[in-house]
Amino acid sequence: MFLTLALLKKGIPGKQWIGKYRRPRPITWQMKRNMLKHLEREAENEYWISRPYMTPEQEYCHAAERRAQNWLKIKETKFANFPEHKSLTDHLSHLNITKTWSS
């Protein structure tokens, strides 16, 4: 009986869809269609990536002004809530106790 099972090898041991001795999935027409669409999309992406939008001369420093304006905007928002500067006389005004009202 064990010899018969060993010789015939009926069944797939363990899970049938995973592992070394798994059952192969049947390839359907939907799988073929999806793979063709995927390959066509990839070919189109490679086509567009291979052609640059700007030349290296155009690309050099093309966004310097915009980046400078953005940096100024960020700096202004950062200092918007900053308190006003106070002079030393404002800080030490509470020490002026010798002044009279009449002068």
Side-chain angles (χ1 to χ4, degrees):
M1 180 170 142
F2 294 113
L3 180 62
T4 315
L5 284 174
L7 291 176
L8 292 177
K9 286 228 175 195
K10 289 187 178 181
I12 297 162
K15 300 269 186 184
Q16 64 176 340
W17 300 113
I18 61 171
K20 187 175 179 181
Y21 299 106
R22 63 178 167 251
R23 190 170 116 194
R25 289 178 60 194
I27 297 174
T28 61
W29 63 271
Q30 291 99 340
M31 290 175 165
K32 291 179 186 177
R33 181 200 58 204
N34 291 341
M35 181 57 72
L36 282 175
K37 284 169 70 175
H38 175 73
L39 290 173
E40 288 171 359
R41 188 180 333 122
E42 196 170 315
E44 186 179 356
N45 288 343
E46 287 179 9
Y47 171 80
W48 288 114
I49 287 173
S50 67
R51 285 152 178 78
Y53 179 71
M54 290 191 283
T55 63
E57 293 82 20
Q58 291 172 332
E59 190 176 0
Y60 180 71
C61 290
H62 77 283
E65 184 180 338
R66 179 179 49 87
R67 289 179 71 224
Q69 289 174 354
N70 285 345
W71 170 246
L72 288 176
K73 211 180 292 181
I74 289 169
K75 208 161 90 171
E76 287 171 6
T77 57
K78 189 175 182 181
F79 288 117
N81 296 329
F82 202 79
E84 287 186 20
H85 293 293
K86 292 184 178 179
S87 64
L88 191 61
T89 57
D90 294 337
H91 283 288
L92 300 178
S93 63
H94 67 284
L95 298 175
N96 281 336
I97 54 172
T98 57
K99 285 189 175 179
T100 60
W101 285 92
S102 62
S103 62

